[in-house]
């Protein structure tokens, strides 16, 4: 069968039942003594991190690298001269010598790349967030089950041993007593991405049609092509899906022990302030998530505390981390460390750890060799749930913006402690844009989510559900599993 014909059938799903036959090396790799040949798709900043991490895992060979930008491909090819080079991920997936792939593309490609890879018989390590559109994440979960593939999400902190200790202290030892509520922080200054008068022309080294893939073909007005796609809904998820998903995943893991898949209700406020640039994702974002028990409040800001953009905004707890407020004190957690405080604010215990890199990648490879998806530290279904919390916060902000209405009294009742957090974010905005603009940060309507159907219900459901699935483009469409 020709490559193009085989790909057509794979994408239509007619050969899905025989996908394992296309991955004969993937089956052979389930031997603890075998080498795993890995292909890395997406060679930007994160792709470089994964190349380095997987190279440190014993028995892993970087067999192929792929990027739609030939300049990035050539650059990484110098560091990995023995790896085959591909400009089109479909050609890499046709390579029978590749057992597994690591996907570090732009966010909008994560699901489609993962689906194609599993249909082609490859195991998948896919970076967070799993998806921008919730329905597409569902299809990846189904594909892993259907094709019997190992699929790990790149929330590497899941593999840090300190997480088990945190859970034990909170739940088994009950060192701080019952948990009352949780605050998530991401206060990190970022610069403006600029706003051009004329559309940006993609670099000549980029196959733009392939880079765009399932995203809408629309003009780009930011100054830089790479990385700043994060701050465009067409290709990225904003800070909520960039840093937020790491922290929210910690909360789901340590506070909820993954027992709450989705929040029942969510409300949010946010917008793009101070910079007045080409981005459309919030650089200030506030969200309240009703889990049916412990409320979670998220506060994100990418703007500074001063007009000169030099000072980090003050906030209680870590600037990038979370606070678990308990009856007898609090726990503050962040990458690589955690502290427990008693009710008087005295530190009673400190935990030091790592960010989980290399250990997480090894966990993925070990699961392939042992044919044991149950040993994954961040299986795709867990990643789907954690991504959903962040996506819902994004959807709620967008619904609030689109609806031009607010339901603030009802929303704030979900977590009364959050009023002070919202006021602090307004003060940040006021420093840059004035009090009138700051007061425009209003919480939108409360969205209700049904976990059985994985859709929003009730008032505003029609508006919210339009974000759950994207149409795709031409041959780049996520199809139902």
């Amino acid at each position: 069968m020709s490559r193009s014909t085989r790909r057509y059938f794979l994408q239509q799903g007619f050969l899905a039942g025989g996908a394992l036959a296309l991955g004969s090396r993937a089956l052979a790799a389930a031997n603890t003594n075998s080498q795993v040949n890995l292909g890395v798709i997406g060679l930007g900043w994160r792709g470089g991190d994964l190349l380095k991490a997987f190279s440190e895992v014993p028995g892993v060979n970087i067999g192929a690298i792929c990027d739609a930008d030939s300049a990035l491909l050539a650059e990484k090819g110098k560091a990995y001269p023995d790896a085959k080079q591909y400009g089109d991920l479909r050609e890499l997936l046709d390579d029978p010598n590749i057992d597994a792939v690591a996907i570090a593309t732009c966010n909008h490609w994560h699901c489609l790349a993962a689906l194609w890879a599993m249909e082609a018989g490859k195991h998948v390590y896919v970076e967070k967030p799993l998806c921008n559109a919730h329905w597409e994440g569902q299809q990846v979960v189904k594909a892993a089950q259907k094709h019997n593939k190992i699929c790990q999400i790149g929330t590497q902190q899941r593999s840090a041993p300190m997480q088990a200790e945190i859970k034990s202290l909170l739940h088994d030892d009950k060192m701080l007593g019952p948990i009352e509520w949780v605050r998530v922080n991401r206060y990190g200054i970022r610069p403006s991405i600029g706003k051009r008068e004329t559309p940006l022309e993609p670099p000549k080294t980029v196959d733009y049609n392939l880079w765009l893939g399932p995203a809408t073909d629309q003009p780009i007005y930011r100054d830089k092509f790479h990385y700043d796609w994060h701050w465009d809904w067409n290709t990225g998820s904003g800070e909520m899906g960039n840093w937020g998903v790491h922290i929210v995943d910690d909360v789901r893991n340590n506070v909820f022990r993954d027992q709450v898949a989705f929040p029942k209700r969510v409300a949010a406020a946010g917008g793009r302030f101070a910079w007045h640039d080409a981005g459309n994702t919030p650089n200030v974002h506030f969200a309240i998530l009703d889990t049916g028990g412990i409320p979670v409040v998220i506060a994100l800001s990418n703007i500074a505390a001063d007009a000169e953009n030099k000072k980090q905004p003050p906030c209680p707890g870590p600037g990038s981390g979370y606070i678990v407020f308990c009856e007898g004190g609090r726990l503050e957690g962040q990458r690589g460390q955690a502290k427990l405080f008693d009710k008087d604010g005295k530190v009673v215990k400190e935990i030091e750890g790592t960010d989980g890199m290399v250990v997480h990648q090894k966990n993925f490879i070990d699961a392939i060799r042992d044919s044991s998806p149950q040993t994954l530290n961040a299986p795709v279904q867990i990643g789907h749930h954690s991504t959903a919390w962040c996506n819902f916060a994004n959807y709620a902000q967008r619904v609030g913006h689109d609806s031009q209405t607010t339901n603030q009294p009802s929303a704030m009742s979900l977590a009364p402690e959050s009023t002070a957090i919202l006021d602090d974010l307004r003060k940040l905005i006021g420093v840059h844009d004035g009090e009138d603009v700051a007061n425009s940060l209003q919480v939108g309507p409360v969205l209700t989510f049904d976990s059985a159907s994985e859709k929003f219900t009730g008032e505003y459901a029609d508006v919210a559900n339009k974000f759950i699935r994207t149409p795709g483009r031409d041959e780049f469409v996520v199809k139902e599993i």
Side-chain angles (χ1 to χ4, degrees):
M1 185 180 293
S2 71
R3 181 176 65 204
S4 59
T5 303
R6 179 159 64 89
R7 184 181 304 131
Y8 172 80
F9 278 107
L10 282 171
Q11 290 174 9
Q12 294 301 312
F14 297 142
L15 291 186
L20 289 177
L22 299 176
S24 58
R25 276 193 50 83
L27 290 177
N31 182 317
T32 56
N33 297 317
S34 67
Q35 173 178 275
V36 174
N37 279 348
L38 181 77
V40 177
I41 303 171
L43 304 177
W45 172 73
R46 189 58 179 170
D49 283 351
L50 292 184
L51 279 167
K52 183 177 183 298
F54 275 110
S55 296
E56 295 179 22
V57 178
V60 172
N61 174 58
I62 305 299
I65 55 176
C66 177
D67 201 282
D69 187 340
S70 61
L72 285 175
L73 190 60
E75 177 188 336
K76 289 297 187 290
K78 293 176 183 177
Y80 299 89
D82 295 331
K84 293 181 182 179
Q85 297 183 22
Y86 295 100
D88 189 326
L89 77 165
R90 292 168 291 193
E91 294 180 358
L92 184 153
L93 296 178
D94 281 339
D95 188 337
N97 295 312
I98 297 300
D99 307 312
V101 295
I103 299 167
T105 59
C106 305
N107 294 358
H108 69 284
W109 253 113
H110 286 179
C111 285
L112 190 57
L115 288 166
W116 283 359
M118 286 187 281
E119 286 176 344
K122 317 299 184 188
H123 300 292
V124 172
Y125 181 106
V126 58
E127 266 304 327
K128 56 77 196 168
L130 175 60
C131 59
N132 291 349
H134 183 77
W135 179 87
E136 295 173 7
Q138 285 179 270
Q139 306 317 302
V140 180
V141 173
K142 291 178 182 178
Q145 297 168 345
K146 179 178 181 177
H147 301 302
N148 193 28
K149 290 299 164 194
I150 305 297
C151 189
Q152 174 102 299
I153 300 295
T155 45
Q156 70 271 356
Q157 73 275 5
R158 283 261 174 174
S159 291
M162 65 178 285
Q163 308 301 342
E165 185 176 357
I166 290 172
K167 279 187 280 192
S168 180
L169 289 170
L170 285 175
H171 300 286
D172 300 329
D173 299 342
K174 300 186 184 301
M175 190 168 180
L176 299 175
I179 299 171
E180 297 176 338
W181 68 289
V182 179
R183 171 173 175 159
V184 170
N185 289 334
R186 169 54 185 170
Y187 284 67
I189 301 175
R190 292 190 185 275
S192 165
I193 63 172
K195 189 172 184 178
R196 299 167 50 89
E197 293 184 1
T198 58
L200 175 68
E201 183 178 342
K204 297 187 183 303
T205 56
V206 172
D207 181 335
Y208 185 60
N209 181 61
L210 188 58
W211 182 92
L212 200 60
T216 303
D217 189 355
Q218 60 187 31
I220 296 172
Y221 287 95
R222 62 180 182 267
D223 288 335
K224 297 178 181 178
F225 184 77
H226 289 303
Y227 192 79
D228 285 343
W229 51 262
H230 277 291
W231 325 121
D232 183 345
W233 288 129
N234 192 37
T235 50
S237 310
E239 195 68 271
M240 191 68 71
N242 185 45
W243 254 96
V245 68
H246 274 301
I247 306 167
V248 167
D249 185 69
D250 275 347
V251 170
R252 287 197 61 255
N253 183 17
N254 296 330
V255 177
F256 295 94
R257 292 178 288 182
D258 295 323
Q259 293 175 8
V260 178
F262 306 111
K264 297 177 181 293
R265 294 183 294 171
V266 59
R272 204 157 181 92
F273 302 97
W275 300 335
H276 313 295
D277 59 9
N280 54 22
T281 64
N283 59 10
V284 174
H285 200 160
F286 168 88
I288 305 173
L289 291 84
D290 174 14
T291 68
I294 301 166
V296 175
V297 183
I298 306 176
L300 275 64
S301 173
N302 288 151
I303 60 177
D306 62 312
E308 290 75 33
N309 298 309
K310 295 179 180 179
K311 292 174 59 179
Q312 183 85 7
C315 67
S320 293
Y322 60 100
I323 312 172
V324 184
F325 292 95
C326 304
E327 188 178 277
R330 70 185 189 275
L331 180 145
E332 296 183 359
Q334 59 184 311
R335 178 186 290 184
Q337 63 176 335
K339 292 182 180 180
L340 281 73
F341 300 81
D342 65 17
K343 211 166 186 178
D344 297 323
K346 179 183 176 182
V347 176
V348 294
K349 188 172 182 61
E350 295 189 49
I351 304 169
E352 294 292 334
T354 66
D355 65 0
M357 284 295 280
V358 182
V359 178
H360 198 57
Q361 286 73 35
K362 183 178 184 299
N363 174 243
F364 171 64
I365 298 299
D366 287 345
I368 293 174
R369 290 199 177 106
D370 298 337
S371 296
S372 57
Q374 70 276 8
T375 64
L376 288 174
N377 292 334
V380 63
Q381 187 169 26
I382 293 296
H384 175 54
H385 295 162
S386 293
T387 296
W389 288 40
C390 296
N391 279 340
F392 293 176
N394 278 337
Y395 302 161
Q397 185 272 330
R398 299 178 77 178
V399 168
H401 182 270
D402 292 349
S403 67
Q404 298 299 312
T405 62
T406 63
N407 193 16
Q408 187 177 345
S410 175
M412 300 305 282
S413 69
L414 300 179
E417 304 88 348
S418 61
T419 301
I421 300 173
L422 185 61
D423 288 342
D424 286 343
L425 291 174
R426 287 189 180 123
K427 289 176 185 176
L428 276 179
I429 297 167
V431 169
H432 299 273
D433 291 338
E435 186 175 337
D436 289 344
V437 174
N439 289 334
S440 70
L441 186 71
Q442 297 291 325
V443 179
V446 176
L447 305 181
T448 301
F449 188 76
D450 176 53
S451 61
S453 64
E454 295 199 35
K455 290 182 179 179
F456 291 97
T457 60
E459 194 176 6
Y460 300 102
D462 290 344
V463 186
N465 283 327
K466 73 179 183 179
F467 300 119
I468 281 182
R469 184 174 182 178
T470 53
R473 187 180 62 88
D474 300 331
E475 72 266 39
F476 306 107
V477 176
V478 173
K479 297 178 181 179
E480 187 165 8
I481 301 298

